[in-house]
Amino acid sequence: MRRQTSDVCLRVLRRCLRTREGSVTAVTDEAIEKIKGMIVSGELRPGDGLPKESELAAELGLSRNSLREAVRALSLTRILDVRQGDGTYVTSLDPQLLLEALSFVVDFHRDDTVLEFLAVRRILEPAATAMASALTTEAELDALSGQLDAPGPDPSVEELVACDLEFHRGIVRASGNSVLCSPLDGLSGPTTRARIWRGLTQEDAVSRTLTEHRAILAALRDRDAEAARSWATVHIASVEH
């Protein structure tokens, strides 16, 4: 899982490093691949410190400048941790930590890709909701119920969207799959405006959202995975129309 997640992060990284001509700086890319090779092979393990810059550059046959750029880039994707005055270390490589890098790319989304982000959310979140139906504790269910009651009987669109975000975050956390939390949390940003727009332009959007939330919560309380999955799918799909 760590290797697959780090590969995703490196693809994200290459997008961040693209020049105006659309190609990746070759020397920096080579340096990234060599450091990645050391980690994948086990030569460097989570928590290990990298050798001194001059020693590592000589060992890998790289210039110190290209090595420095590679380290900077790998720190952006949470693969390396640069500690001022202490050195550079391999992070825990925890999948949730590595997937935080996806939010960096998501932040630069274009408005015309919102439906694509919603489609990804529609694939992942119903699955997480179904998983949560078997794992959510009574205390977590009560907390979710409290989140739905918090905005009051007549919430504004903005209050409802904030409640919606927290409600779904709570469900994903309860699914027991920490890897899902980061990408779904990252996807919430691009879809927030779509949710607000829906609330402003569809007359019954607020009441429908509240009804859908209550139905999801009821399915979770009933431990009905398929009902939870179905209601989550209906709820997410309604934002797209």
Side-chain angles (χ1 to χ4, degrees), residues 32-103:
I32 290 169
E33 286 298 325
K34 287 186 175 181
I35 296 173
K36 174 191 169 185
M38 294 176 72
I39 296 172
V40 170
S41 69
E43 185 178 348
L44 287 174
R45 294 185 173 276
D48 284 353
L50 269 65
K52 291 181 179 179
E53 184 181 271
S54 57
E55 295 174 3
L56 185 58
E59 179 184 343
L60 298 179
L62 300 167
S63 71
R64 293 177 68 170
N65 281 341
S66 62
L67 178 61
R68 209 169 290 141
E69 287 299 317
V71 167
R72 186 178 296 115
L74 288 166
S75 68
L76 284 175
T77 53
R78 309 292 194 269
I79 293 172
L80 296 180
D81 179 21
V82 179
R83 305 175 190 173
Q84 293 299 326
D86 187 27
T88 300
Y89 295 82
V90 180
T91 67
S92 66
L93 300 180
D94 181 79
Q96 188 172 0
L97 174 67
L98 296 178
L99 285 167
E100 287 178 6
L102 292 177
S103 64

Side-chain angles (χ1 to χ4, degrees), residues 20-218:
R20 274 183 263 182
E21 290 75 21
S23 61
V24 178
T25 305
V27 177
T28 302
D29 192 44
E30 180 188 1
I32 290 169
E33 286 298 325
K34 287 186 175 181
I35 296 173
K36 174 191 169 185
M38 294 176 72
I39 296 172
V40 170
S41 69
E43 185 178 348
L44 287 174
R45 294 185 173 276
D48 284 353
L50 269 65
K52 291 181 179 179
E53 184 181 271
S54 57
E55 295 174 3
L56 185 58
E59 179 184 343
L60 298 179
L62 300 167
S63 71
R64 293 177 68 170
N65 281 341
S66 62
L67 178 61
R68 209 169 290 141
E69 287 299 317
V71 167
R72 186 178 296 115
L74 288 166
S75 68
L76 284 175
T77 53
R78 309 292 194 269
I79 293 172
L80 296 180
D81 179 21
V82 179
R83 305 175 190 173
Q84 293 299 326
D86 187 27
T88 300
Y89 295 82
V90 180
T91 67
S92 66
L93 300 180
D94 181 79
Q96 188 172 0
L97 174 67
L98 296 178
L99 285 167
E100 287 178 6
L102 292 177
S103 64
F104 182 80
V105 172
V106 169
D107 286 342
F108 292 97
H109 80 283
R110 303 186 312 271
D111 287 344
D112 60 358
T113 62
V114 167
L115 288 179
E116 294 178 8
F117 283 109
L118 284 168
V120 174
R121 185 182 171 221
R122 184 160 29 89
I123 294 168
L124 296 178
E125 197 161 304
T129 305
M131 291 164 62
S133 68
L135 299 170
T136 312
T137 65
E138 289 300 320
E140 288 171 330
L141 289 169
D142 290 342
L144 291 171
S145 181
Q147 288 173 355
L148 297 185
D149 293 334
D154 189 27
S156 68
V157 172
E158 289 77 10
E159 288 172 333
L160 185 64
V161 169
C163 170
D164 182 81
L165 292 173
E166 286 305 313
F167 178 71
H168 291 290
R169 281 191 187 114
I171 292 173
V172 174
R173 283 195 297 267
S175 73
N177 190 321
S178 61
V179 177
L180 277 172
C181 292
S182 289
L184 282 171
D185 203 43
L187 289 170
S188 67
T191 61
T192 296
R193 279 184 289 178
R195 296 184 216 185
I196 292 175
W197 179 251
R198 176 203 181 205
L200 293 173
T201 58
Q202 296 183 15
E203 186 176 340
D204 62 342
V206 172
S207 62
R208 279 172 55 195
T209 297
L210 292 172
T211 298
E212 290 160 2
H213 280 171
R214 295 292 177 193
I216 292 170
L217 182 58

